[in-house]
Amino acid sequence: MTSTLYRVRESFSDAQGVLTRAREILRELAEWSSIPSPRLEPVATAEQYRYALATFDTARIYGNQEEPGVAPCLDDFRRRTVVTLDNEKPNSWFAGYVRLRTELGDLWPLPKRLTITLDSTPPFGDPDSEPNPDCTDEELDEMVSALGPLSLGASWDCRWRGLPDFKDCGVQVCLNSIWTQQTTEPSPGEFGVWISLGPRVAWTTAGENWRRDCGLPLGEPQSGW
């Protein structure tokens, strides 16, 4: 079973504002909360690529050559001598690094199963390891300050004051993206906060009372993570 998300129906003009609001909600309504877990989404639009090009030197590339359009696009990266694969002769799945160059901009939008991501690039992650699922508040602030038009989500587990169970309860933010059908989709310039209630309390009388009394303008329920 998944949690249930309720969007906080408030307007936010920038990523820092939504981050500040998420922290305020946790301070006001939660008995305790975890450290944040960030998730940087792939470079999905030409605008995001132009920003990445101006700000970063390299990015990670992942994909499956058996998916439609992926193998020809990977061959194009290779012809332009900008890609270094972890395994130079992969079977179907591959991973590596791409040197960001102006001439690559005409490749966007990429095939759906070909991923270019900065999640292993400081401040979003360590280039010598897998992205860290957790970070400090200071590290998250650094990510947001470098975000530009990139899409990033972050979540906190918490125990809501007054609820008998905290499993899958928390707060989630979507920056330059929105939550739809258990996934985030790029939505430049859109920022939001979602409240999460776990399946043990979401549809109980205690959960309904908490939503009524929390003081937040909450939207319709959505299937959560």
Side-chain angles (χ1 to χ4, degrees):
M1 299 177 67
T2 62
S3 63
T4 302
L5 294 179
Y6 301 86
R7 185 168 188 172
V8 179
R9 293 182 298 182
E10 298 175 3
S11 297
F12 303 99
S13 60
D14 56 32
Q16 188 59 57
V18 78
L19 186 59
T20 298
R21 184 63 177 126
R23 289 166 171 164
E24 288 174 351
I25 291 171
L26 287 168
R27 286 195 300 269
E28 293 168 2
L29 299 177
E31 291 182 0
W32 57 260
S33 62
S34 67
I35 60 176
S37 296
R39 183 188 64 258
L40 184 68
E41 301 295 338
V43 180
T45 68
E47 179 191 11
Q48 289 176 341
Y49 181 72
R50 288 193 294 271
Y51 175 77
L53 177 66
T55 311
F56 304 96
D57 296 323
T58 61
R60 286 288 280 171
I61 183 171
Y62 305 96
N64 184 341
Q65 296 185 84
E66 296 181 358
E67 295 289 344
V70 172
C73 194
L74 178 62
D75 289 341
D76 204 342
F77 277 105
R78 283 173 149 167
R79 281 194 298 272
R80 301 181 195 212
T81 64
V82 295
V83 65
T84 302
L85 298 182
D86 296 345
N87 180 356
E88 281 302 320
K89 294 183 178 180
N91 292 322
S92 57
W93 289 97
F94 62 88
Y97 288 91
V98 172
R99 295 189 302 280
L100 304 182
R101 298 291 183 268
T102 303
E103 62 270 19
L104 300 181
D106 62 359
L107 298 178
W108 264 260
L110 298 174
K112 286 187 177 181
R113 300 300 182 183
L114 180 62
T115 297
I116 300 290
T117 177
L118 295 160
D119 61 7
S120 294
T121 303
F124 301 110
D126 186 340
D128 298 319
S129 65
E130 292 297 317
N132 191 336
D134 299 318
C135 68
T136 65
D137 283 333
E138 291 76 15
E139 288 169 335
L140 183 57
D141 285 334
E142 290 180 12
M143 294 179 197
V144 170
S145 68
L147 189 64
L150 301 174
S151 298
L152 183 142
S155 60
W156 296 257
D157 295 328
C158 76
R159 183 179 190 116
W160 295 120
R161 194 173 296 114
L163 284 181
D165 189 275
F166 61 86
K167 181 176 174 58
D168 295 325
C169 290
V171 168
Q172 176 172 312
V173 299
C174 293
L175 311 178
N176 288 314
S177 61
I178 57 173
W179 182 265
T180 60
Q181 297 296 318
Q182 291 194 304
T183 186
T184 55
E185 295 183 0
S187 184
E190 186 162 358
F191 310 95
V193 181
W194 278 257
I195 297 300
S196 173
L197 297 183
R200 297 178 182 175
V201 295
W203 304 110
T204 65
T205 299
E208 292 174 356
N209 291 340
W210 186 89
R211 293 196 305 274
R212 181 195 64 208
D213 298 336
C214 69
L216 299 173
L218 299 179
E220 295 299 314
Q222 296 175 264
S223 183
W225 72 90

